[in-house]
Amino acid sequence: MTALDLSSPVAVVGTGTMGQGIAQVALVAGHPVRLYDAVDGRAGEAADAIGARLDRLVQKDRLTGAERDAARARLTSAESLDALADCALVVEAVVERLDVKQELFRALEDVVGDDCLLATNTSSLSVTAVGGALRVPGRFVGLHFFNPAPLLPLVEVVSGFATDPASATRAYETARAWGKTPVTCADTPGFVVNRVARPFYAEALAVHELRAADPATIDAVLRESGGFRMGAFELTDLIGQDVNESVTHSVWQAFFQDARFTPSLAQRRLVESGRLGRKSGQGWYDYRDGAERPGPHTAPPAEAPAYVVVEGDLGPAAELVGLIREAGVEVRPEDGYGAGRIVLPDGGTLCLTDGELPGSEDLVHFDLALDYRAATRIALSASEGVRPGLLSGATGLFQALGKEVSVVGDVPGMIVARTVARIIDLAFDAVARGVATPEDVDTAMRLGVNYPLGPFEWNRRLGDTWARDLLSHIHEWEPSGRCAPSLALHRHAAADAREGTPS
C-alpha cells in the first residue's frame, strides 16, 4: 500500500490552528486541499491565513513564488460537506468531544466514497470510539500531528481496534510523503507521546508538592543537568495549565485511575485560580509586564576538598572521576563493593541517588545528569541532620568542576533520576502491551517532545537494572503505587541479570 497520489484531493474539517497547519502540510506537499468549517466564513478566513503563511515561506526562501502561486490555486474553501465527495483523505481537527466527532464522521460517510481514508487528529480521545459508529470502520485511522503541524516532524499513526492494516499503512506512507516522520501505535490512552511523557510533568510536580524545591530550581535542574529543552513548569505554562492538566486527567481516567498517571492537586489549584500560563499572564511564573522571573536556588561559593577517594564504580556518574582530576583535585582510587562512592577528606560520602533517602549524617546524594561534562548545574540532597561542613564540601567539589549547585530537599530519587526512571518504565510498559516498538517510542519522544534521548536510549546508557532498582526504592518510601516498577521493567531487569550470570 503506497501513499496517496498527489492528484488526490485532501480535505481538512475544522480550521483552527491545528486544522490550518495540517492543511498547509498537505498543500505544500502538492495535494489539492479543501477546507471546511461548520461556522460560516471560517474556511475562507483559514484559506487567507494559510496564503499569508505561504507568503512568509517565500520571504524566507523556503518556497518559490511559482510554488506559492500553484499551492494557492490548489487551496479552496468548501461551503458544505458535499463538496468533499471526491476526496481521497479527510482529516478532522474539530473540538475534542466524542459526540461531535462521531456525528461528523457519520455525516462524512454519507458523502465520500468507501475508499476514502478518514482520519482524526484527536490527542485525547479513543480512535476506536470515534470510528466505532461508522459503516466502514476499517478505513478509519488516527493521524495525530503536533502543534505547529508545519514545523514539528512527528505524526502518530494510530490504529483503532477496527482499523484495517492497509488503511494504517496508507496513512503512514502518506504522512512520510508529506515530509513527516510517522510512527505507528495502537489505540491506547495518550498514544505514545502523551502516555510516556506524563512523568516529566508528574515528577516535577511531586517534588514541588513535597516542598523539596521550588519551580525555578526544578526547571533549572531538568534543563541544565537533565538536558531537557525546557523544565516542566515553564513547559506547562507554555502549553497551558488547563490543557496539560486536561490531558493528564484524560489519560488517568482512561486507565481507570491507575496510580501511575495520578493528576496533581497543585496543578488543579493553579487551573482553578485561572493561572493558565503564558496565555493568561500568570502560571507557575508571572508573565505580566514588568514581572521579574525568579531564579533557581544556587548555593554560595564553597571551598573544594584537596583530594577525594573514589571507591568502586560510579556507574552512570563514572565520568566525574576524570572531571575531578581535570579540576586539579587529587583522586585516590580504591576498590569497593556495591555502588561506587566519592569520599571526602572528612569521611563524608557522595553517592549518585539510588531512590533511597540519604538517611545519614555522613551522606550526600547527587542527581543524575545527561552528560556530567556538559551539565552546568548539579543538584545535591542530604538529610536534615547532615553533618556540618559535609554539604559545603560536596558543594565546593562540584563548583570546582564548573557547576552551579542547587541543594534540594531529601526526596527519594531527587529530580532528574526519578523523572528519567519513570519515563523508562512507562516506555517498557507501553512496548510490552503492544502500543509501539522501542524504536518508534524513542523516535516519538525525541521528535514529539524534544527529549535529549529516547527512553530506550537512556536505558542502554544507564544499565538494564538501573530504573527498576531506583523505582523500587522510591516505591518503598512512597508506597502509593505511582512509582512502582511495571512488570515489563521487572522482566527486562531479570532477563539482564540471567544473561549476566556465569554458566
Side-chain angles (χ1 to χ4, degrees):
M1 184 66 67
T2 59
L4 293 176
D5 188 270
L6 290 180
S7 64
S8 302
V10 171
V12 177
V13 179
T15 58
T17 300
M18 182 59 77
Q20 290 181 32
I22 296 170
Q24 181 180 328
V25 170
L27 188 66
V28 171
H31 288 273
V33 173
R34 294 174 194 163
L35 297 171
Y36 174 77
D37 198 291
V39 178
D40 288 343
R42 286 270 180 88
E45 293 172 0
D48 291 340
I50 294 171
R53 284 199 288 273
L54 295 178
D55 289 339
R56 290 195 288 273
L57 291 178
V58 172
Q59 293 169 3
K60 295 177 180 179
D61 293 326
R62 296 179 184 173
L63 279 182
T64 66
E67 289 171 333
R68 173 199 58 199
D69 295 342
R72 279 181 164 174
R74 294 193 302 271
L75 179 62
T76 57
S77 56
E79 295 185 359
S80 69
L81 290 179
D82 291 339
L84 313 182
D86 64 338
C87 286
L89 167 64
V90 180
V91 184
E92 161 274 316
V94 302
V95 63
E96 285 286 274
R97 279 180 47 188
L98 180 60
D99 59 335
V100 173
K101 293 180 187 291
Q102 287 179 327
E103 182 180 354
L104 168 64
F105 282 110
R106 280 194 292 263
L108 281 168
E109 202 169 32
D110 291 335
V111 171
V112 301
D114 286 354
D115 59 346
C116 176
L117 193 62
L118 299 178
T120 174
N121 184 59
T122 185
S123 62
S124 61
L125 298 176
S126 163
V127 171
T128 301
V130 175
L134 293 181
R135 176 172 48 81
V136 188
R139 44 93 167 264
F140 189 75
V141 67
L143 273 179
H144 181 215
F145 289 77
F146 288 75
N147 194 30
L151 297 180
L152 293 187
L154 184 69
V155 177
E156 292 177 317
V157 181
V158 187
S159 291
F161 186 79
T163 300
D164 190 318
S167 298
T169 299
R170 172 152 282 189
Y172 180 96
E173 294 298 339
T174 297
R176 189 163 66 172
W178 290 357
K180 295 302 179 182
T181 303
V183 297
T184 59
C185 63
D187 183 21
T188 184
F191 309 142
V192 176
V193 171
N194 279 329
R195 174 180 178 148
V196 178
R198 294 345 295 163
F200 181 72
Y201 314 109
E203 296 315 306
L205 287 160
V207 171
H208 173 61
E209 288 177 328
L210 290 169
R211 304 183 70 82
D214 60 275
T217 299
I218 295 169
D219 278 353
V221 171
L222 286 169
R223 287 193 316 269
E224 299 171 36
S225 184
F228 292 95
R229 187 74 59 86
M230 298 180 73
F233 294 96
E234 58 190 346
L235 181 54
T236 53
D237 269 357
L238 178 64
I239 294 168
Q241 296 301 331
D242 52 339
V243 174
N244 183 261
E245 199 242 4
S246 176
V247 172
T248 298
H249 196 271
S250 174
V251 172
W252 175 63
Q253 290 285 20
F255 276 112
F256 307 103
Q257 300 185 1
D258 187 324
R260 295 174 301 166
F261 302 99
T262 303
S264 161
L265 181 60
Q267 188 175 39
R268 177 91 289 264
R269 292 292 179 258
L270 199 70
V271 172
E272 289 174 339
S273 72
R275 297 188 177 192
L276 307 181
R278 288 180 179 272
K279 62 186 177 183
S280 69
Q282 284 182 287
W284 293 110
Y285 300 105
D286 192 338
Y287 301 93
R288 295 172 297 180
D289 290 344
E292 185 175 346
R293 177 76 173 262
H297 168 77
T298 301
E303 185 176 352
Y307 70 91
V308 297
V309 176
V310 176
E311 297 182 357
D313 183 0
L314 296 181
E319 189 177 22
L320 286 175
V321 177
L323 296 178
I324 293 170
R325 286 196 177 102
E326 291 172 18
V329 177
E330 181 187 354
V331 175
R332 301 176 182 177
E334 287 190 5
D335 293 334
Y337 299 97
R341 61 180 189 160
I342 301 171
V343 183
L344 301 183
D346 65 357
T349 300
L350 307 183
C351 290
L352 174 63
T353 181
D354 59 358
E356 297 276 12
L357 290 176
S360 166
E361 65 176 11
D362 293 319
L363 177 62
V364 172
H365 279 157
F366 59 88
D367 207 350
L368 180 69
L370 170 69
D371 180 337
Y372 282 99
R373 179 175 295 278
T376 58
R377 182 176 299 273
I378 295 293
L380 302 180
S381 175
S383 67
E384 291 185 3
V386 65
R387 177 160 46 81
L390 174 55
L391 199 53
S392 176
T395 298
L397 175 63
F398 280 102
Q399 287 174 340
L401 309 186
K403 318 299 183 187
E404 301 278 11
V405 174
S406 291
V407 178
V408 303
D410 57 347
V411 60
M414 301 186 67
I415 299 171
V416 179
R418 67 187 287 149
T419 299
V420 170
R422 287 214 57 223
I423 289 170
I424 290 172
D425 181 56
L426 289 191
F428 270 95
D429 183 62
V431 169
R433 295 177 186 275
V435 175
T437 65
E439 295 76 18
D440 276 356
V441 170
D442 277 355
T443 297
M445 302 315 292
R446 286 196 314 270
L447 299 184
V449 278
N450 285 315
Y451 284 2
L453 294 175
F456 292 93
E457 291 173 313
W458 270 112
N459 186 70
R460 287 191 292 272
R461 176 180 290 199
L462 296 169
D464 287 323
T465 61
W466 179 85
R468 189 274 313 267
D469 293 346
L470 186 133
L471 291 176
S472 295
H473 292 151
I474 295 176
H475 179 59
E476 291 174 4
W477 293 101
E478 303 176 22
S480 66
R482 195 171 63 83
C483 292
S486 66
L487 177 60
L489 195 61
H490 275 297
R491 284 173 170 166
H492 180 77
D496 175 74
R498 287 195 299 271
E499 290 173 3
T501 302
S503 57

